[in-house]
């Protein structure tokens, strides 16, 4: 990537930080403008990226599933949650309901950051997250990599909102391992 942008690795790290820090300021526009200004004109037909995840024992490490499917289909993740009496169902309006100890929970986001995050993820998250450029993954200040060493954000949010006092987090870590999937993808259009 440094070659295509005519920058060295240090400048690339600064660019990465600039993009990360401009998330509130339309990062795609920032990236597009940067590429327009600095691209060296060469083309390529493949891109390599990495998917960061922490997979439970027995999981298919090659399967990438969005959060909605992960919560409502039978898989090691939903089975793990069920061992803690947590499960999700799609209701008549097509949104997800959360259940804990067989009781439907009504999530209130007022004054509760974890519930706000969970509501947002359950209502609008249809993607597979966790993609990165490899040489930035293990940088000491790469917060995303460091948080993945612990457990997925969703587990942390559920632990907090359901008052597990880190019990859900510790159990997840004990029954899982961090994985970095190397993915080479053909580009149709850049």
């Amino acid at each position: 990537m440094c070659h295509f942008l005519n920058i060295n690795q240090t400048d690339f790290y600064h660019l990465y930080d600039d993009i990360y820090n401009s998330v509130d300021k339309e990062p795609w526009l920032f990236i597009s403008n940067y590429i327009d200004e600095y691209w060296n004109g060469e083309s390529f037909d493949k891109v390599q990226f990495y998917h960061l995840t922490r997979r439970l024992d027995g999981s298919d490490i090659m399967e990438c599933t969005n959060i909605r499917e992960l919560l409502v289909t039978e898989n090691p993740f939903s089975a793990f949650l069920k061992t803690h009496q947590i499960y999700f169902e799609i209701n008549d309006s097509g949104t997800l309901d959360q259940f804990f100890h067989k009781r439907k929970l009504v999530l209130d986001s007022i004054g509760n950051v974890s519930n706000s995050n969970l509501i947002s993820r359950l209502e609008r998250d249809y993607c597979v997250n966790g993609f990165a450029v490899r040489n930035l993954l293990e940088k000491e200040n790469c917060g995303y990599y460091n948080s993945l060493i612990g457990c997925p954000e969703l587990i942390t949010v559920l632990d907090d909102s359901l008052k597990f006092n880190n019990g859900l987090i510790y159990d997840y870590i004990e029954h899982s391992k961090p994985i970095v999937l190397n993915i080479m993808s053909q580009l149709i259009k850049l």
Side-chain angles (χ1 to χ4, degrees):
M1 190 55 78
C2 293
H3 169 78
F4 291 106
L5 293 173
N6 288 317
I7 58 177
N8 61 38
Q9 193 167 12
T10 300
D11 290 338
F12 184 75
Y13 289 142
H14 291 299
L15 172 62
Y16 182 83
D17 289 338
D18 289 345
I19 292 168
Y20 179 80
N21 293 327
S22 70
V23 167
D24 298 357
K25 305 170 196 151
E26 300 184 44
W28 298 114
L29 182 60
F30 180 95
I31 293 167
S32 178
N33 290 340
Y34 190 93
I35 289 172
D36 287 346
E37 185 173 344
Y38 294 101
W39 192 258
N40 71 6
E42 285 186 53
S43 63
F44 54 93
D45 62 352
K46 293 180 184 170
V47 66
Q48 183 176 22
F49 56 98
Y50 298 84
H51 176 62
L52 300 170
T53 184
R54 187 168 187 106
R55 297 291 170 97
L56 287 161
D57 300 336
S59 296
D60 178 354
I61 66 165
M62 297 307 291
E63 186 176 320
C64 290
T65 306
N66 68 46
I67 195 168
R68 184 181 181 90
E69 289 180 40
L70 197 61
L71 294 173
V72 298
T73 61
E74 293 297 323
N75 59 67
F77 190 85
S78 63
F80 170 81
L81 292 178
K82 285 178 184 172
T83 65
H84 294 280
Q85 304 298 313
I86 304 167
Y87 63 96
F88 295 82
E89 292 180 353
I90 299 173
N91 61 32
D92 292 338
S93 65
T95 59
L96 292 181
D97 288 333
Q98 179 186 6
F99 294 83
F100 183 51
H101 288 288
K102 298 182 181 179
R103 288 189 6 239
K104 180 180 170 186
L105 299 178
V106 177
L107 298 174
D108 179 10
S109 64
I110 298 172
N112 186 321
V113 174
S114 290
N115 281 359
S116 295
N117 180 297
L118 183 58
I119 290 167
S120 174
R121 300 288 302 274
L122 296 179
E123 290 176 356
R124 293 184 288 279
D125 195 336
Y126 295 98
C127 62
V128 176
N129 296 324
F131 293 98
V133 179
R134 175 68 184 187
N135 61 348
L136 295 177
L137 291 183
E138 297 174 14
K139 270 182 67 178
E140 286 182 29
N141 64 352
C142 183
Y144 190 72
Y145 175 83
N146 293 333
S147 71
L148 238 150
I149 292 302
C151 69
E153 178 186 18
L154 180 62
I155 295 295
T156 303
V157 168
L158 288 170
D159 183 272
D160 183 55
S161 68
L162 298 173
K163 311 291 187 238
F164 273 94
N165 298 318
N166 295 329
L168 192 63
I169 293 169
Y170 293 138
D171 196 31
Y172 193 90
I173 290 170
E174 185 178 326
H175 294 95
S176 65
K177 62 182 172 265
I179 305 275
V180 178
L181 298 175
N182 177 359
I183 301 166
M184 181 70 75
S185 179
Q186 188 78 28
L187 288 179
I188 296 170
K189 181 180 177 184
L190 178 64

